[in-house]
Amino acid sequence: MKLNDLPPTEAEAAFLACCGSRAWARRMIEGRPYADAEFLLEAADRTWWSLAKEDWREAFAAHPQIGEKKTAGDAQFRRWSEQEQAGVESTEEVILADLADANRAYAERFGYIFIVCATGKSATEMLGLLRSRLGNDPDTELRIAAEEQQRITRLRILKAES
């Protein structure tokens, strides 16, 4: 297991690239070694759901907005974000403009960026999800965003281990 074998500083960077929450990364480092990938994913889920909402928001903030060309984070985080959002690469400008408008409305309503597991989704699909989730109440939306972050984190852990 690659994440077990990394020195603490490298492990922290690797775990941060998977999730974006420093508290989550620290707890995952403390939980090493993991017996296998299944145990690692179970620990990741358990740790995610044990975090405070502020830690969730920190993880959300590490992501670029859907459709945003510029990505934040370290090189690995940028690569994964770009791969995950590949569905927006050849999107018409009108869809990108609609995404930008909906992203602004979402951030104003909920106070954080729209989080969706973008892997395999087109820009139009993500725009539809974004618009539909704008109607959620804040508690419901926070739970949904947290579930999406959990999916993203699981996919990234598998990438880090491959």
Side-chain angles (χ1 to χ4, degrees):
M1 302 254 329
K2 292 179 182 179
L3 291 168
N4 280 341
D5 299 333
L6 294 174
T9 303
E10 289 178 40
E12 183 174 16
F15 279 118
L16 276 171
C18 292
C19 181
S21 163
R22 290 182 306 242
W24 181 87
R26 279 192 304 273
R27 291 182 193 173
M28 293 302 294
I29 292 167
E30 292 167 2
R32 296 186 307 167
Y34 298 100
D36 56 33
E38 184 177 331
F39 190 74
L40 172 61
L41 292 172
E42 288 172 5
D45 291 346
R46 205 173 33 256
T47 301
W48 175 249
W49 292 110
S50 73
L51 294 176
K53 291 176 182 176
E54 297 77 32
D55 298 316
W56 290 356
R57 287 186 183 96
E58 178 187 24
F60 301 164
H63 292 275
Q65 289 190 357
I66 297 296
E68 187 177 278
K69 298 293 182 189
K70 221 171 53 174
T71 58
D74 72 358
Q76 184 62 62
F77 191 94
R78 285 192 307 274
R79 273 193 301 279
W80 285 343
S81 292
E82 289 165 5
Q83 290 169 356
E84 292 158 1
Q85 288 197 37
V88 300
E89 280 306 307
S90 59
T91 301
E92 301 170 17
E93 286 301 315
V94 68
I95 300 292
L96 292 175
D98 287 348
L99 272 169
D101 290 342
N103 277 327
R104 276 190 294 282
Y106 185 96
E108 287 172 11
R109 176 153 168 67
F110 298 112
Y112 50 89
I113 72 162
F114 174 67
I115 299 295
V116 66
C117 185
T119 301
K121 291 181 179 67
S122 71
T124 304
E125 289 172 306
M126 289 184 276
L127 178 58
L129 288 168
L130 198 165
R131 286 178 172 161
S132 71
R133 286 173 48 190
L134 275 167
N136 289 336
D137 65 84
D139 289 336
T140 298
E141 185 52 32
L142 182 61
R143 182 186 49 77
I144 292 169
E147 290 169 353
E148 292 294 314
Q149 177 64 56
Q150 178 189 20
R151 284 185 193 97
I152 294 164
T153 300
R154 291 175 67 86
L155 288 173
R156 288 180 175 191
I157 287 170
L158 293 173
K159 289 176 187 178
E161 283 295 322
S162 65

